[in-house]
Each structure stands twice: as structure tokens, then as C-alpha cells.
Amino acid sequence: MLLYSLMQDLTQGLNPGQRDAVLLTEGPVLIVAGAGAGKTKTLTHRIGNIIQKGTPAEAILAITFTNKAAKEMRERVFRLLGLEHDAPVWGRPRGVPFIGTFHGLGMAILREKGEAIGITRSATIIDADDSYKLIKQSMAKAGIDPKQFEPRRIQSAISRHKGNMGTPEDIEKTTPNRFLGQTLRRVYTIYEATLRETQVLDFDDLLQKTVLLLETKPEICAYYTARWQYIHVDEYQDTNEVQYRLVQLLSGTKKNVCVVGDSDQNIYSWRGASIANILEFEEDYPGAKVILLEQNYRSTQTILSAANNVIAKNTMRKEKNLFTENDPGELISCFGSYDENDEARFIAGKIGGLLGQGVRPSTIAVLYRTNFQSRVLEEALLYSGIPYQVLGTRFYDRKEVKDVVAYLRAAENPLARFDLERVINVPARGVGKVTLEKIFRGERASLPATMRAKVDAFYALLARIAESAQTMKPSQLISFIITETGIEKMLSDGDDEDTERLANVRELVTVAMRYDAFEGKEGVEQLLADIALESDQDNMKSEQDAVRLMTIHAAKGLEFDQVFITGMEQDLFPSRRSQDESKDISEREEERRLFYVALTRAAKKVTLSYASFRTIFGQRQVNLPSEFLSDIGDNLLRHESRDGGTVARIEKPKRKVSLLGWDEEYDDGETVTYL
């Protein structure tokens, strides 16, 4: 155990709620933390306090949802402990708390103890794209037409089912449509068999298999409950069934579990997150203490008042009321545009004005409900010469980078068929589909002599990479792969686009240098793990001074000075699906929670916009302003025109919409008058 100098008063500078959370260390604790309430500071100081009281640092576990959040928490805790923030934290205890994501935790446990259920350390972790390809292959084996059943929907259904610890048999029983249920079961069965045969794990396996391990091997579960005496979980409202069960298993009999969350920010039910986990925490953990963190340190009071007004209409929540000591700030602006192009030009113009005032582009975000809305926004920003970055393009998704990583994974796990398929012809070797099938059937000896020589040379190359991985540092190994495989020469002999690709694979060497301090093969293993687990947010380069464009879901956990929320139209936001009276109330309330999350991303100013006409999937639609606009409160809104003047406020419940000189009648709606 490392010894630390933590004589500082860890409650200094904390508000009363934060202080209570830091000092209350025993038993189950629920911290209801509103947006911008300083939850990370609270958690890190709580961890520091536990260590200060004499608990070994390695006895503390903290789980987050994103690498970004884990990195921030790790850096803060390590600063409190007087350690370098990049100290190794994975694998065996090294005198530091374990701070990582749910999936990172699952990977670490499976790496240590997974062989007890047949999972080797060399098992390959595949990302969502590779999983999708495997789903398509499984559908083909099952004879299922991808035109009849969209593969992405099949993938999503299986992923969500795995998050609920469901089997292929379960998915058939729980799917209302019998034919669809049978289809899902067939694909799920083939998909799982392929994963097992090739020693491959998808993201969902990292948690599902971990829970299976802990539930079926009591001695291993006891090992981890003894190892981690204090458990902290961030964003608890976003946990699904498998994450819920994992926390319960690890909390053991002591139940020293502290969860932080906000029911008002539960926006991921579509991927299995259950709001019931936070709402029923006190039932699940009898004697639990509840602490409210309501003071916001991010936003103006105007923004918080708007958010409070919006979310107050929901019933499924832990009640709280955000406040701040910050300035009241500007009113929320609202612009009604003619169509989506007019809306985009308005936003580009406003952003251009801000940049002219010296505002940095990276402090501005443009948020939208769905991805299709980004196109016209990108065009308007590009035309205006405004730098922007669309969240969602991962560095590791680039072909040339995936090729290098696939070589490394194939060397580590020769059973991973899709990695072999990816790189056996990179650079070109003339290996066709017939040859590949013979290879995978174990019939290499039957190949013609010339082809067999090519294939043997490829496998010899993989063997050299695997051997080099035993002694080389990760950065050296990546450089070795780039050179020895011929990728470097292939890209060097190409055009300007290939030159850029070569720069990308060389950047991978720089990335790998972060792992050179690890011992033995652990650096390579951790490099592959982090590549697999990287999220879109992790790839958002903070050094790139550009306006951020993203969906509201992607913006969760981020903050910006200036936030533009576009497409504030009924049937778009809230979505038409959520307004279906046959839908459960939770779906309608989740849309309101999504708007609440969007509002609270802003520190200084929110600008809302909507379009009277919008073309969606080739259809020109006439729109009503979103009901959320009237939820905000007239005293907090300023309706403006393109020239900066004001327009009449939105009125309800009149049934007429005046659209730039002509009127349309609707069954219900609002009156928008343009001046």
C-alpha cells in the first residue's frame, strides 16, 4: 500500500450538501446531483476522505460511464494523492483506487478471472462496427434477408437483450411478434456461437460475462467484494439491468455503495437504462441516506429557471430545484425561421457575430434531436467560413488505423476471423473468398503451392508480430507492424490522400507511447482495450478550436458557454413517437428530460430555433413550435427576428398558425406572428 499525505481539510470550499456527501462514508448513499452541481469534486473529495481515514486506496472502486469522466476523476483523485495522473490503474492493485468505466471494469475482471468461465486473456474485444458486420454474417447464415430485417435493428435488439442478461431463448419469448422473436433468436444464437468459437467479446459481453462470472463463481465474487470495500457509481440513472446487478454483487454485505445521479437526466432508455434503478434505490438498499446537490456552478439563473420550469412537469423524478449564485444572465433567445435552410443561416450568422466579438469557437455548441439535422447546419457553417467539428467521427474508425489494429489483434488472437479477413489482403496478396474459406476450414495444405506460400508468409508475419509483442513496448510494436506489414510502403507510394492516411497510422505510434510505461504485455493489452472502449466524446479533440455539432444525447456530460438548440418543433422535439397516446408516460417524459439536458449544457446563453417548414425524408412538412417553448415561461424568453428585433410571443391555445402572410388551420397548436 502506498502512503499518502492527505492532511488537508477535504471539506473546505464545499457547500453543505457536498460536505455531507464527503463525510457520510458508511452504508448506502444516494447523491441526487443536478447538472453542474460539482458532483466530480464531491466524489473525489469523498474518496480522499475515505483514504484519509485509513482505508487503503486500492480498496476503493469508482465507476463512470465514459472514459472522459473517468479520466477527469482519476486526475483529480491522483492529485489529491500526490500521484501522476497517468499512473497505471488497471489490473492488479497498485496502491491506487480503481477508477474506470463499467466496461473497463468488466474487462479488467475478465482479464484477471475470466478463464474460470472459458474467457482467455487474449480474447478480442470488438467495437460496434465489427459487431454489426458479425450480425450481418449471422443473418446470412440464418438465411435472413437484410431488406426484410434491418441489421442495425437486429443488432440493437440483441444488445439491449444482453444488457438485461437475456438468452436467445428469452428474446423469442419476450418479443410480442412471434415471427420477429424467432428471427431474433436464430440470429442471436449464431452470433453468440461465432463469438465463442473465435474467442471474441462484444461490448455487452464485457458486462454480461462479468455478472455471469460473479454469480456462478461465489469464491471469485467474494474476492472482489473483499478487495473493494467502498464503491462509487457515477450517473446511476443511466444504469441498465446488468450494470445494476454488477453493483449489487460487488457491494457484498457491507453495502458501502455511494451512487450519484439525477433522474431528470435519464435519457437512454432506448439502450436499456432504467430510471427505476435510481428511483427505487432506497428500496434496494434499506437504510440508504439521500443527499441533494442543488447548487449549480455552471449556468446562469435564467437558464436554471427555464430548466426547472420544464422538468417540473414530469412525475417520474427525485424532486429538486436548481439554483445558483451566478448572475441572472441573458434571456433565452427564440427564433422562428421559414425553413431549415433559413434556420441554419440564422445560426451561422449568430455564431459569426459571436466570433467577431472574440468568442472562441470551441465554447459554442449546436445541438439537435436527430443526426439528419446536421447537414444544412454544416453547409451554412462551411459557407460562412466557420470552423466546426461534428462529434461522431472516431480516429480509430479510419480504415488505415483499423488495419494496423486488426493486425495486432489477429496476432494476439488468430481465431478472430474478421480481423484476419480484414488484413490478409492489406497490402494486396490476391487471396480470394474461396481461399479464405479453405483457410478457415483448416485446409491450408490443399491450397495451390503459390497461394499456400502467400498464406504461409502472412501467418509467419502474424507470428513475428505476436513474438515481438512479448518484448517490445507498444509504440515500438505499432511502428514494427506499420513497417513489416508493408502498410507504410503502400501508403508512401500513393497519392495525397494516402499521405494523410500514413500520417494517421504514424499518429497511432504517438498514441501507443502512452502505454510504454506498463510492464510486459500489459501495455499492449491496455492499448487494445482502450481503443475498443473509446467513445465519440473521447475523440472530440479539445485542442481543435471549432464549433461543436452533435445530438443532444451525445452532448450529455459536456458544457459550453453558448448553446444553440435547433429544430424546436412539435413532432421533431418532442418526437412524434413520444406523443403517441399508446406509449408509456416514461417515453413522453424522457423527451422532456432530453430538453432539460440540452438546456443545462449552457453556461451563459441558450438560443432556441424552429422552422415553419422542414423537409424530412423528402417530404415538405408544416410545423408547429414545440410545446417545450411554452413550458419555459414567457418571462425567460426573448423572441427575435433575423435583424435582431423582437417578434410576438408564442400564444396558446389558439388554433391558427400564421406563416409569413398566409394562414393554415390545425386541430391544435399555437399562434406564431412574424413582425
Short mmCIF file of all heavy atoms in Angstrom, two decimals, residues 560-616:
data_model
loop_
_atom_site.label_atom_id
_atom_site.label_comp_id
_atom_site.label_asym_id
_atom_site.label_seq_id
_atom_site.Cartn_x
_atom_site.Cartn_y
_atom_site.Cartn_z
N PHE A 560 -20.85 24.08 -22.44
CA PHE A 560 -20.39 25.12 -23.35
C PHE A 560 -20.92 26.46 -22.89
O PHE A 560 -21.96 26.53 -22.22
CB PHE A 560 -20.87 24.84 -24.78
CG PHE A 560 -20.47 23.49 -25.30
CD1 PHE A 560 -21.30 22.39 -25.12
CD2 PHE A 560 -19.28 23.31 -25.97
CE1 PHE A 560 -20.95 21.14 -25.59
CE2 PHE A 560 -18.91 22.07 -26.45
CZ PHE A 560 -19.75 20.98 -26.25
N ASP A 561 -20.24 27.53 -23.25
CA ASP A 561 -20.73 28.87 -22.90
C ASP A 561 -22.01 29.19 -23.66
O ASP A 561 -22.99 29.67 -23.09
CB ASP A 561 -19.67 29.93 -23.21
CG ASP A 561 -18.51 29.91 -22.23
OD1 ASP A 561 -18.63 29.25 -21.17
OD2 ASP A 561 -17.48 30.55 -22.52
N GLN A 562 -21.99 28.94 -24.96
CA GLN A 562 -23.11 29.26 -25.85
C GLN A 562 -23.68 27.98 -26.44
O GLN A 562 -22.96 27.20 -27.05
CB GLN A 562 -22.65 30.18 -26.99
CG GLN A 562 -21.98 31.49 -26.54
CD GLN A 562 -22.98 32.58 -26.32
OE1 GLN A 562 -24.13 32.50 -26.77
NE2 GLN A 562 -22.55 33.65 -25.67
N VAL A 563 -24.99 27.78 -26.29
CA VAL A 563 -25.63 26.58 -26.81
C VAL A 563 -26.81 26.97 -27.70
O VAL A 563 -27.69 27.72 -27.27
CB VAL A 563 -26.10 25.64 -25.69
CG1 VAL A 563 -26.97 24.50 -26.24
CG2 VAL A 563 -24.90 25.06 -24.94
N PHE A 564 -26.81 26.47 -28.93
CA PHE A 564 -27.92 26.61 -29.85
C PHE A 564 -28.66 25.27 -29.91
O PHE A 564 -28.06 24.23 -30.19
CB PHE A 564 -27.43 26.99 -31.25
CG PHE A 564 -26.83 28.36 -31.35
CD1 PHE A 564 -25.52 28.60 -30.95
CD2 PHE A 564 -27.57 29.42 -31.85
CE1 PHE A 564 -24.96 29.87 -31.03
CE2 PHE A 564 -27.02 30.71 -31.95
CZ PHE A 564 -25.71 30.91 -31.53
N ILE A 565 -29.97 25.30 -29.64
CA ILE A 565 -30.79 24.09 -29.71
C ILE A 565 -31.74 24.26 -30.88
O ILE A 565 -32.62 25.13 -30.87
CB ILE A 565 -31.56 23.84 -28.40
CG1 ILE A 565 -30.59 23.84 -27.20
CG2 ILE A 565 -32.31 22.52 -28.47
CD1 ILE A 565 -31.29 23.77 -25.85
N THR A 566 -31.57 23.45 -31.89
CA THR A 566 -32.30 23.62 -33.15
C THR A 566 -33.48 22.65 -33.24
O THR A 566 -33.60 21.69 -32.49
CB THR A 566 -31.36 23.39 -34.35
OG1 THR A 566 -30.96 21.99 -34.37
CG2 THR A 566 -30.11 24.25 -34.22
N GLY A 567 -34.34 22.93 -34.23
CA GLY A 567 -35.45 22.01 -34.50
C GLY A 567 -36.48 21.92 -33.39
O GLY A 567 -37.02 20.84 -33.14
N MET A 568 -36.78 23.05 -32.75
CA MET A 568 -37.74 23.06 -31.65
C MET A 568 -39.17 23.07 -32.22
O MET A 568 -39.89 24.05 -32.12
CB MET A 568 -37.50 24.27 -30.75
CG MET A 568 -36.18 24.26 -30.01
SD MET A 568 -36.01 22.87 -28.86
CE MET A 568 -37.41 23.09 -27.80
N GLU A 569 -39.52 21.93 -32.81
CA GLU A 569 -40.83 21.79 -33.46
C GLU A 569 -41.57 20.58 -32.92
O GLU A 569 -40.96 19.55 -32.63
CB GLU A 569 -40.65 21.64 -34.99
CG GLU A 569 -39.99 22.82 -35.64
CD GLU A 569 -38.90 22.43 -36.63
OE1 GLU A 569 -39.04 21.38 -37.28
OE2 GLU A 569 -37.89 23.14 -36.71
N GLN A 570 -42.87 20.70 -32.80
CA GLN A 570 -43.70 19.57 -32.41
C GLN A 570 -43.54 18.47 -33.44
O GLN A 570 -43.55 18.72 -34.65
CB GLN A 570 -45.15 20.02 -32.29
CG GLN A 570 -46.02 19.19 -31.37
CD GLN A 570 -45.67 19.33 -29.89
OE1 GLN A 570 -44.88 20.19 -29.49
NE2 GLN A 570 -46.24 18.48 -29.07
N ASP A 571 -43.42 17.25 -32.99
CA ASP A 571 -43.19 16.04 -33.78
C ASP A 571 -41.73 15.82 -34.12
O ASP A 571 -41.37 14.74 -34.57
CB ASP A 571 -44.02 16.02 -35.07
CG ASP A 571 -45.51 15.89 -34.80
OD1 ASP A 571 -45.89 15.53 -33.66
OD2 ASP A 571 -46.30 16.15 -35.72
N LEU A 572 -40.89 16.83 -33.92
CA LEU A 572 -39.45 16.63 -34.04
C LEU A 572 -38.83 16.63 -32.66
O LEU A 572 -38.05 15.75 -32.32
CB LEU A 572 -38.83 17.72 -34.93
CG LEU A 572 -37.30 17.63 -35.14
CD1 LEU A 572 -36.91 16.29 -35.75
CD2 LEU A 572 -36.81 18.77 -36.04
N PHE A 573 -39.18 17.62 -31.86
CA PHE A 573 -38.72 17.69 -30.48
C PHE A 573 -39.78 18.40 -29.64
O PHE A 573 -39.83 19.61 -29.65
CB PHE A 573 -37.39 18.44 -30.41
CG PHE A 573 -36.66 18.27 -29.11
CD1 PHE A 573 -36.88 17.21 -28.28
CD2 PHE A 573 -35.71 19.21 -28.71
CE1 PHE A 573 -36.18 17.06 -27.09
CE2 PHE A 573 -35.00 19.05 -27.54
CZ PHE A 573 -35.24 17.97 -26.73
N PRO A 574 -40.69 17.69 -28.94
CA PRO A 574 -40.64 16.24 -28.74
C PRO A 574 -40.96 15.46 -30.01
O PRO A 574 -41.64 15.96 -30.90
CB PRO A 574 -41.73 16.01 -27.67
CG PRO A 574 -42.72 17.11 -27.91
CD PRO A 574 -41.88 18.31 -28.29
N SER A 575 -40.44 14.24 -30.08
CA SER A 575 -40.62 13.40 -31.25
C SER A 575 -42.07 12.97 -31.37
O SER A 575 -42.81 12.91 -30.39
CB SER A 575 -39.72 12.17 -31.17
OG SER A 575 -40.16 11.30 -30.12
N ARG A 576 -42.48 12.70 -32.60
CA ARG A 576 -43.84 12.23 -32.85
C ARG A 576 -44.10 10.91 -32.11
O ARG A 576 -45.18 10.70 -31.55
CB ARG A 576 -44.06 12.04 -34.34
CG ARG A 576 -45.43 11.48 -34.70
CD ARG A 576 -45.65 11.47 -36.21
NE ARG A 576 -45.63 12.81 -36.74
CZ ARG A 576 -45.83 13.14 -37.99
NH1 ARG A 576 -46.10 12.20 -38.84
NH2 ARG A 576 -45.78 14.39 -38.42
N ARG A 577 -43.11 10.04 -32.09
CA ARG A 577 -43.25 8.74 -31.44
C ARG A 577 -43.61 8.90 -29.96
O ARG A 577 -44.46 8.18 -29.44
CB ARG A 577 -41.96 7.95 -31.58
CG ARG A 577 -41.93 6.62 -30.86
CD ARG A 577 -40.56 5.97 -30.98
NE ARG A 577 -40.46 4.80 -30.13
CZ ARG A 577 -40.79 3.58 -30.49
NH1 ARG A 577 -41.26 3.38 -31.70
NH2 ARG A 577 -40.66 2.56 -29.65
N SER A 578 -42.97 9.86 -29.29
CA SER A 578 -43.19 10.02 -27.86
C SER A 578 -44.59 10.53 -27.53
O SER A 578 -45.05 10.38 -26.40
CB SER A 578 -42.16 10.98 -27.27
OG SER A 578 -42.38 12.31 -27.72
N GLN A 579 -45.26 11.14 -28.50
CA GLN A 579 -46.58 11.72 -28.27
C GLN A 579 -47.73 10.75 -28.52
O GLN A 579 -48.89 11.08 -28.31
CB GLN A 579 -46.76 12.96 -29.15
CG GLN A 579 -45.75 14.07 -28.85
CD GLN A 579 -45.85 15.20 -29.84
OE1 GLN A 579 -46.76 16.02 -29.76
NE2 GLN A 579 -44.94 15.24 -30.79
N ASP A 580 -47.36 9.56 -28.97
CA ASP A 580 -48.37 8.53 -29.20
C ASP A 580 -49.04 8.18 -27.87
O ASP A 580 -48.37 7.81 -26.90
CB ASP A 580 -47.69 7.29 -29.80
CG ASP A 580 -48.69 6.23 -30.26
OD1 ASP A 580 -49.83 6.22 -29.73
OD2 ASP A 580 -48.33 5.41 -31.11
N GLU A 581 -50.35 8.35 -27.80
CA GLU A 581 -51.07 8.12 -26.55
C GLU A 581 -50.95 6.68 -26.06
O GLU A 581 -51.15 6.39 -24.88
CB GLU A 581 -52.55 8.48 -26.72
CG GLU A 581 -52.80 9.97 -26.89
CD GLU A 581 -52.36 10.77 -25.68
OE1 GLU A 581 -52.48 10.24 -24.55
OE2 GLU A 581 -51.89 11.92 -25.85
N SER A 582 -50.62 5.76 -26.98
CA SER A 582 -50.45 4.37 -26.58
C SER A 582 -49.12 4.12 -25.87
O SER A 582 -48.92 3.08 -25.25
CB SER A 582 -50.54 3.44 -27.81
OG SER A 582 -49.44 3.68 -28.70
N LYS A 583 -48.22 5.09 -25.96
CA LYS A 583 -46.91 4.94 -25.33
C LYS A 583 -47.00 5.17 -23.84
O LYS A 583 -47.85 5.91 -23.34
CB LYS A 583 -45.90 5.92 -25.94
CG LYS A 583 -45.65 5.73 -27.44
CD LYS A 583 -44.98 4.39 -27.70
CE LYS A 583 -44.70 4.23 -29.20
NZ LYS A 583 -44.12 2.89 -29.49
N ASP A 584 -46.09 4.52 -23.13
CA ASP A 584 -45.99 4.70 -21.69
C ASP A 584 -45.59 6.14 -21.38
O ASP A 584 -44.88 6.79 -22.16
CB ASP A 584 -44.95 3.73 -21.12
CG ASP A 584 -44.93 3.71 -19.61
OD1 ASP A 584 -45.74 2.99 -19.03
OD2 ASP A 584 -44.11 4.44 -19.04
N ILE A 585 -46.02 6.65 -20.24
CA ILE A 585 -45.70 8.01 -19.84
C ILE A 585 -44.20 8.25 -19.77
O ILE A 585 -43.73 9.37 -20.01
CB ILE A 585 -46.36 8.35 -18.49
CG1 ILE A 585 -46.17 9.85 -18.17
CG2 ILE A 585 -45.79 7.47 -17.36
CD1 ILE A 585 -46.89 10.29 -16.91
N SER A 586 -43.43 7.20 -19.47
CA SER A 586 -41.99 7.36 -19.35
C SER A 586 -41.35 7.85 -20.64
O SER A 586 -40.38 8.61 -20.62
CB SER A 586 -41.34 6.04 -18.92
OG SER A 586 -41.58 5.01 -19.87
N GLU A 587 -41.89 7.41 -21.80
CA GLU A 587 -41.33 7.85 -23.07
C GLU A 587 -41.61 9.33 -23.32
O GLU A 587 -40.74 10.05 -23.82
CB GLU A 587 -41.88 7.01 -24.22
CG GLU A 587 -41.15 7.22 -25.53
CD GLU A 587 -41.36 6.11 -26.54
OE1 GLU A 587 -41.80 5.01 -26.15
OE2 GLU A 587 -41.06 6.34 -27.72
N ARG A 588 -42.80 9.79 -22.97
CA ARG A 588 -43.11 11.21 -23.14
C ARG A 588 -42.26 12.06 -22.19
O ARG A 588 -41.78 13.12 -22.57
CB ARG A 588 -44.60 11.45 -22.88
CG ARG A 588 -45.52 10.74 -23.88
CD ARG A 588 -46.93 11.28 -23.85
NE ARG A 588 -47.61 11.02 -22.59
CZ ARG A 588 -48.26 9.90 -22.31
NH1 ARG A 588 -48.30 8.91 -23.20
NH2 ARG A 588 -48.87 9.74 -21.14
N GLU A 589 -42.09 11.57 -20.97
CA GLU A 589 -41.29 12.32 -20.01
C GLU A 589 -39.81 12.32 -20.36
O GLU A 589 -39.10 13.27 -20.03
CB GLU A 589 -41.53 11.77 -18.60
CG GLU A 589 -42.93 12.04 -18.07
CD GLU A 589 -43.04 11.93 -16.56
OE1 GLU A 589 -42.08 11.46 -15.90
OE2 GLU A 589 -44.10 12.34 -16.02
N GLU A 590 -39.35 11.27 -21.03
CA GLU A 590 -37.94 11.24 -21.41
C GLU A 590 -37.60 12.33 -22.42
O GLU A 590 -36.50 12.89 -22.40
CB GLU A 590 -37.55 9.86 -21.97
CG GLU A 590 -36.06 9.75 -22.29
CD GLU A 590 -35.56 8.33 -22.35
OE1 GLU A 590 -36.19 7.43 -21.74
OE2 GLU A 590 -34.52 8.11 -22.99
N GLU A 591 -38.54 12.64 -23.31
CA GLU A 591 -38.31 13.74 -24.24
C GLU A 591 -38.12 15.05 -23.49
O GLU A 591 -37.25 15.86 -23.84
CB GLU A 591 -39.48 13.87 -25.22
CG GLU A 591 -39.51 12.82 -26.30
CD GLU A 591 -38.39 12.98 -27.31
OE1 GLU A 591 -38.36 13.97 -28.04
OE2 GLU A 591 -37.53 12.08 -27.37
N ARG A 592 -38.91 15.26 -22.45
CA ARG A 592 -38.75 16.48 -21.65
C ARG A 592 -37.42 16.45 -20.91
O ARG A 592 -36.76 17.49 -20.76
CB ARG A 592 -39.93 16.63 -20.69
CG ARG A 592 -39.87 17.95 -19.87
CD ARG A 592 -41.16 18.23 -19.12
NE ARG A 592 -42.16 18.85 -20.00
CZ ARG A 592 -43.17 18.24 -20.51
NH1 ARG A 592 -43.40 16.98 -20.19
NH2 ARG A 592 -44.03 18.85 -21.31
N ARG A 593 -37.01 15.28 -20.43
CA ARG A 593 -35.70 15.18 -19.78
C ARG A 593 -34.58 15.50 -20.76
O ARG A 593 -33.57 16.09 -20.41
CB ARG A 593 -35.51 13.77 -19.18
CG ARG A 593 -36.42 13.45 -18.02
CD ARG A 593 -35.95 12.24 -17.24
NE ARG A 593 -36.03 11.00 -17.97
CZ ARG A 593 -37.09 10.19 -17.98
NH1 ARG A 593 -38.17 10.50 -17.27
NH2 ARG A 593 -37.08 9.07 -18.67
N LEU A 594 -34.78 15.11 -22.01
CA LEU A 594 -33.78 15.39 -23.04
C LEU A 594 -33.63 16.89 -23.26
O LEU A 594 -32.51 17.40 -23.42
CB LEU A 594 -34.17 14.68 -24.34
CG LEU A 594 -33.12 14.63 -25.44
CD1 LEU A 594 -31.86 13.92 -24.98
CD2 LEU A 594 -33.69 13.92 -26.68
N PHE A 595 -34.74 17.60 -23.27
CA PHE A 595 -34.68 19.05 -23.41
C PHE A 595 -34.02 19.69 -22.18
O PHE A 595 -33.24 20.63 -22.30
CB PHE A 595 -36.09 19.62 -23.61
CG PHE A 595 -36.11 21.11 -23.89
CD1 PHE A 595 -35.23 21.69 -24.77
CD2 PHE A 595 -37.04 21.92 -23.25
CE1 PHE A 595 -35.27 23.06 -25.02
CE2 PHE A 595 -37.09 23.28 -23.49
CZ PHE A 595 -36.19 23.86 -24.38
N TYR A 596 -34.30 19.15 -21.01
CA TYR A 596 -33.67 19.61 -19.77
C TYR A 596 -32.16 19.46 -19.86
O TYR A 596 -31.40 20.37 -19.49
CB TYR A 596 -34.24 18.80 -18.60
CG TYR A 596 -33.59 19.03 -17.25
CD1 TYR A 596 -34.03 20.05 -16.42
CD2 TYR A 596 -32.56 18.21 -16.81
CE1 TYR A 596 -33.46 20.24 -15.17
CE2 TYR A 596 -31.98 18.39 -15.56
CZ TYR A 596 -32.43 19.41 -14.75
OH TYR A 596 -31.86 19.60 -13.50
N VAL A 597 -31.70 18.32 -20.36
CA VAL A 597 -30.27 18.09 -20.53
C VAL A 597 -29.68 19.10 -21.51
O VAL A 597 -28.61 19.66 -21.27
CB VAL A 597 -30.00 16.65 -21.02
CG1 VAL A 597 -28.55 16.49 -21.51
CG2 VAL A 597 -30.29 15.65 -19.90
N ALA A 598 -30.39 19.36 -22.61
CA ALA A 598 -29.90 20.32 -23.60
C ALA A 598 -29.74 21.71 -22.99
O ALA A 598 -28.71 22.37 -23.19
CB ALA A 598 -30.86 20.36 -24.80
N LEU A 599 -30.75 22.17 -22.26
CA LEU A 599 -30.68 23.49 -21.64
C LEU A 599 -29.51 23.61 -20.68
O LEU A 599 -28.79 24.62 -20.67
CB LEU A 599 -31.98 23.79 -20.89
CG LEU A 599 -33.24 24.08 -21.72
CD1 LEU A 599 -34.46 24.12 -20.81
CD2 LEU A 599 -33.10 25.40 -22.47
N THR A 600 -29.29 22.58 -19.89
CA THR A 600 -28.27 22.65 -18.83
C THR A 600 -26.86 22.39 -19.33
O THR A 600 -25.92 22.33 -18.53
CB THR A 600 -28.61 21.69 -17.68
OG1 THR A 600 -28.80 20.37 -18.20
CG2 THR A 600 -29.88 22.15 -16.96
N ARG A 601 -26.67 22.22 -20.66
CA ARG A 601 -25.31 22.18 -21.21
C ARG A 601 -24.72 23.59 -21.27
O ARG A 601 -23.50 23.73 -21.40
CB ARG A 601 -25.30 21.60 -22.63
CG ARG A 601 -25.75 20.15 -22.82
CD ARG A 601 -25.15 19.19 -21.83
NE ARG A 601 -26.00 19.09 -20.67
CZ ARG A 601 -25.58 18.66 -19.46
NH1 ARG A 601 -24.33 18.39 -19.26
NH2 ARG A 601 -26.40 18.56 -18.42
N ALA A 602 -25.57 24.62 -21.19
CA ALA A 602 -25.15 26.00 -21.41
C ALA A 602 -24.75 26.69 -20.12
O ALA A 602 -25.42 26.54 -19.09
CB ALA A 602 -26.26 26.79 -22.10
N ALA A 603 -23.68 27.44 -20.19
CA ALA A 603 -23.24 28.23 -19.04
C ALA A 603 -23.75 29.66 -19.10
O ALA A 603 -24.18 30.22 -18.09
CB ALA A 603 -21.71 28.24 -18.96
N LYS A 604 -23.72 30.29 -20.29
CA LYS A 604 -24.03 31.71 -20.39
C LYS A 604 -25.30 32.03 -21.19
O LYS A 604 -26.05 32.92 -20.80
CB LYS A 604 -22.84 32.45 -21.01
CG LYS A 604 -21.57 32.41 -20.16
CD LYS A 604 -20.44 33.16 -20.85
CE LYS A 604 -19.17 33.14 -20.00
NZ LYS A 604 -18.04 33.85 -20.66
N LYS A 605 -25.50 31.32 -22.30
CA LYS A 605 -26.58 31.74 -23.18
C LYS A 605 -27.14 30.54 -23.95
O LYS A 605 -26.39 29.68 -24.44
CB LYS A 605 -26.07 32.79 -24.19
CG LYS A 605 -27.10 33.28 -25.22
CD LYS A 605 -28.24 34.03 -24.56
CE LYS A 605 -29.36 34.39 -25.54
NZ LYS A 605 -29.33 35.52 -26.17
N VAL A 606 -28.48 30.49 -24.06
CA VAL A 606 -29.18 29.49 -24.86
C VAL A 606 -29.95 30.20 -25.95
O VAL A 606 -30.66 31.18 -25.70
CB VAL A 606 -30.15 28.64 -24.00
CG1 VAL A 606 -31.01 27.74 -24.90
CG2 VAL A 606 -29.39 27.81 -22.98
N THR A 607 -29.84 29.70 -27.17
CA THR A 607 -30.62 30.20 -28.30
C THR A 607 -31.41 29.03 -28.89
O THR A 607 -30.82 28.02 -29.28
CB THR A 607 -29.73 30.83 -29.38
OG1 THR A 607 -29.00 31.93 -28.81
CG2 THR A 607 -30.57 31.34 -30.54
N LEU A 608 -32.72 29.17 -28.94
CA LEU A 608 -33.60 28.14 -29.50
C LEU A 608 -34.06 28.56 -30.88
O LEU A 608 -34.19 29.76 -31.16
CB LEU A 608 -34.81 27.93 -28.59
CG LEU A 608 -34.53 27.71 -27.09
CD1 LEU A 608 -35.86 27.71 -26.31
CD2 LEU A 608 -33.80 26.39 -26.88
N SER A 609 -34.32 27.58 -31.74
CA SER A 609 -34.82 27.91 -33.07
C SER A 609 -35.74 26.81 -33.58
O SER A 609 -35.62 25.65 -33.19
CB SER A 609 -33.66 28.11 -34.06
OG SER A 609 -32.88 26.93 -34.17
N TYR A 610 -36.67 27.21 -34.43
CA TYR A 610 -37.57 26.24 -35.06
C TYR A 610 -37.88 26.72 -36.47
O TYR A 610 -37.67 27.89 -36.81
CB TYR A 610 -38.86 26.06 -34.25
CG TYR A 610 -39.67 27.32 -34.04
CD1 TYR A 610 -40.68 27.69 -34.92
CD2 TYR A 610 -39.43 28.14 -32.94
CE1 TYR A 610 -41.42 28.85 -34.73
CE2 TYR A 610 -40.16 29.31 -32.74
CZ TYR A 610 -41.16 29.65 -33.64
OH TYR A 610 -41.90 30.80 -33.44
N ALA A 611 -38.38 25.80 -37.28
CA ALA A 611 -38.68 26.10 -38.68
C ALA A 611 -40.16 25.84 -38.95
O ALA A 611 -40.70 24.82 -38.54
CB ALA A 611 -37.82 25.25 -39.61
N SER A 612 -40.80 26.78 -39.65
CA SER A 612 -42.22 26.59 -40.01
C SER A 612 -42.39 25.48 -41.04
O SER A 612 -43.39 24.78 -41.06
CB SER A 612 -42.79 27.91 -40.55
OG SER A 612 -42.74 28.91 -39.55
N PHE A 613 -41.39 25.34 -41.92
CA PHE A 613 -41.38 24.25 -42.89
C PHE A 613 -40.06 23.50 -42.74
O PHE A 613 -39.00 24.09 -42.53
CB PHE A 613 -41.48 24.79 -44.33
CG PHE A 613 -42.76 25.50 -44.65
CD1 PHE A 613 -42.85 26.88 -44.51
CD2 PHE A 613 -43.86 24.80 -45.09
CE1 PHE A 613 -44.02 27.55 -44.81
CE2 PHE A 613 -45.04 25.47 -45.38
CZ PHE A 613 -45.12 26.84 -45.26
N ARG A 614 -40.09 22.18 -42.88
CA ARG A 614 -38.88 21.38 -42.85
C ARG A 614 -39.07 20.17 -43.76
O ARG A 614 -40.12 19.51 -43.71
CB ARG A 614 -38.54 20.92 -41.43
CG ARG A 614 -37.17 20.23 -41.31
CD ARG A 614 -36.87 19.83 -39.87
NE ARG A 614 -36.79 20.98 -38.98
CZ ARG A 614 -35.68 21.68 -38.78
NH1 ARG A 614 -34.57 21.36 -39.41
NH2 ARG A 614 -35.70 22.73 -37.95
N THR A 615 -38.08 19.89 -44.58
CA THR A 615 -38.11 18.73 -45.45
C THR A 615 -37.48 17.56 -44.72
O THR A 615 -36.30 17.60 -44.37
CB THR A 615 -37.39 19.00 -46.77
OG1 THR A 615 -37.99 20.13 -47.43
CG2 THR A 615 -37.48 17.79 -47.69
N ILE A 616 -38.26 16.51 -44.49
CA ILE A 616 -37.80 15.33 -43.76
C ILE A 616 -38.05 14.12 -44.63
O ILE A 616 -39.20 13.85 -45.04
CB ILE A 616 -38.52 15.19 -42.41
CG1 ILE A 616 -38.25 16.43 -41.53
CG2 ILE A 616 -38.07 13.93 -41.69
CD1 ILE A 616 -38.96 16.40 -40.19
#
